[in-house]
Amino acid sequence: LQTLPPMQLADKYFQIFPEERDPLWQNPCHDKRHKDIWSKEKTCDRLPRFLVIGPQKTGTTALHSFLSLHPAITSSFPSLVTFEEIQFFSGPNYNNGIDWYMDFFPFPSNVSTDFMFEKSANYFDTEVAPKRAAALLSRAKILAVLINPADRAYSWYQHQRAHQDPMTVNHTFQEVVTARTASPRELLILQRRCLKPGAYATHLERWLHHYQPSQVHIVDGSQLRSNPALVMEGIQRFLGVTPIFNYTQALTYDESKGFWCQRVEGARPKCLGKSKGRKYSDMTPESRAFLTEHYREHNMELLRLLNRLGQPLPAWLREELQSSS
Ligand code: A3P
């Protein structure tokens, strides 16, 4: 019996099975054959029990910081590469493998009561993310934060502008959202990045293809902004985390920030940084009208989806559908 040297053998293998070129990491403890060859020093408990999947600009950083205040909830360590987020399931980091991913999590002290999580806001609308997440974290719970997609698009545009993205500096929001096929290619790319995450139902359906409805919780991002204590209570019940932490005491509204912040005994509240809760002018009525129309069918889809799941409708969705009917 003869065999090729390892590299050539691998080349041959992937010629025969090209679909296996892209890895799909599974939990080694879910398959006896994998567990048997998994190092004894390793544990499968160094993985998150829930994910905050985004989308971007809906209040995911606020949610991350509120969750981290909970005594039984532990966030992943911040990434030096992507600052805060790990962005494992959504991009090239996935090729670093599960040991790389697990290194972002502490060894759980008490597995049954410790809820570890990570938040990567681009998981929501990345095509491959749900499939990859479900392969490794089939029992995880999924939190998605939704605000009016028009406001989300505008906040994203302002975010890009604040980062001196030349296309947003040189084009008004109205020009970005109304760009047409004949517009410059870069403008169309920017428009797509701005608008696509707001097609909420399309992205959620992809997650629901891989996760049970009971594993998915939609967070009303507007309510998270106006009444975070109430929203955090609902999230704790969904996660089944105990004890129920009282966010009414932990949070305080900061007038100068204009947002809810962490209450600190005898000191000023600890708010999120300048890049969260930016000050900018209101969206023009023209852009709002355009986006209400643009998202109408998507929002109708979302309404049907939430009704199917038996999840409450966010107030912004009711209002948006009323104003566009
Ligand atoms: P703006 O800066 O456009 O107002 P993300 O963290 O997902 O990028 O979302 C950022 C948005 O979170 C902010 O967008 C802000 O409106 C919203 N937000 C909700 N609650 C907040 C809070 N307590 N502090 C700061 N921003 C909050």
Side-chain angles (χ1 to χ4, degrees):
L1 185 71
Q2 276 198 333
T3 181
L4 291 167
M7 285 306 283
Q8 285 173 35
L9 184 65
D11 281 342
K12 189 86 203 147
Y13 182 88
F14 289 122
Q15 267 169 28
I16 303 171
F17 302 107
E19 72 283 359
E20 289 187 23
R21 254 171 229 266
D22 285 331
L24 188 66
W25 312 120
Q26 287 160 292
N27 186 323
C29 298
H30 289 177
D31 185 325
K32 190 176 175 313
R33 289 170 312 163
H34 294 164
K35 199 171 176 197
D36 288 347
I37 56 168
W38 181 242
S39 162
K40 293 276 170 289
E41 279 135 47
K42 293 183 184 180
T43 161
C44 294
D45 300 320
R46 232 179 137 190
L47 287 169
R49 297 222 346 222
F50 70 96
L51 297 176
V52 177
I53 59 169
Q56 288 175 311
K57 309 316 295 172
T58 54
T60 57
T61 313
L63 178 57
H64 179 278
S65 84
F66 298 160
L67 285 165
S68 302
L69 297 177
H70 196 295
I73 296 178
T74 307
S75 132
S76 56
F77 303 128
S79 161
L80 295 175
V81 186
T82 48
F83 301 107
E84 178 188 87
E85 301 185 340
I86 307 178
Q87 301 182 356
F88 180 63
F89 299 110
S90 49
N93 287 337
Y94 191 69
N95 294 329
N96 295 336
I98 59 173
D99 282 319
W100 182 90
Y101 185 55
M102 285 181 171
D103 277 345
F104 282 97
F105 298 93
F107 284 98
S109 51
N110 180 344
V111 176
S112 62
T113 57
D114 233 8
F115 276 70
M116 296 200 291
F117 80 103
E118 64 123 336
K119 178 280 260 196
S120 295
N122 61 0
Y123 287 168
F124 181 78
D125 52 287
T126 302
E127 201 106 347
V128 289
K131 180 180 168 189
R132 288 175 172 179
L136 185 61
L137 309 170
S138 59
R139 297 167 201 166
K141 293 196 171 177
I142 305 296
L143 297 181
V145 190
L146 305 184
I147 60 171
N148 185 327
D151 294 324
R152 197 214 72 83
Y154 192 50
S155 170
W156 186 87
Y157 168 85
Q158 294 295 346
H159 174 86
Q160 293 300 113
R161 242 179 114 88
H163 283 90
Q164 304 294 316
D165 173 339
M167 289 306 282
T168 49
V169 174
N170 296 330
H171 292 276
T172 64
F173 184 59
Q174 177 72 3
E175 284 166 354
V176 174
V177 297
T178 58
R180 284 162 174 267
T181 326
S183 305
R185 201 172 151 264
E186 285 108 317
L187 188 58
L188 289 171
I189 293 171
L190 184 84
Q191 181 193 50
R192 192 176 150 77
R193 288 176 63 210
C194 181
L195 298 182
K196 195 179 145 233
Y200 294 150
T202 308
H203 303 299
L204 283 171
E205 289 292 4
R206 218 181 302 115
W207 284 91
L208 288 164
H209 188 72
H210 295 278
Y211 283 95
Q212 294 298 319
S214 59
Q215 290 175 279
V216 177
H217 184 68
I218 308 299
V219 177
D220 178 346
S222 302
Q223 202 174 38
L224 178 71
R225 180 173 168 164
S226 61
N227 189 352
L230 184 73
V231 171
M232 294 311 291
E233 196 187 316
I235 291 176
Q236 291 181 77
R237 293 195 194 286
F238 165 72
L239 294 174
V241 60
T242 51
I244 296 279
F245 183 67
N246 185 347
Y247 280 94
T248 312
Q249 276 163 24
L251 303 177
T252 181
Y253 186 79
D254 187 273
E255 290 293 342
S256 58
K257 176 81 179 167
F259 284 92
W260 288 82
C261 303
Q262 182 188 344
R263 187 194 298 274
V264 184
E265 217 49 65
R268 289 188 54 195
K270 210 167 135 199
C271 299
L272 297 183
K274 277 199 199 74
S275 64
K276 304 293 167 182
R278 290 193 171 96
K279 307 254 185 279
Y280 43 79
S281 57
D282 286 346
M283 193 190 315
T284 63
E286 291 75 27
S287 297
R288 185 161 296 279
F290 181 88
L291 288 177
T292 293
E293 189 51 31
H294 173 85
Y295 282 120
R296 192 158 54 89
E297 199 36 54
H298 295 293
N299 285 335
M300 286 297 293
E301 277 296 318
L302 180 64
L303 171 97
R304 288 191 278 269
L305 188 150
L306 290 174
N307 282 337
R308 193 178 88 217
L309 299 185
Q311 296 211 20
L313 302 185
W316 62 258
L317 181 61
R318 283 178 198 279
E319 283 158 25
E320 194 62 13
L321 289 173
Q322 266 159 18
S323 69
S324 66
S325 58

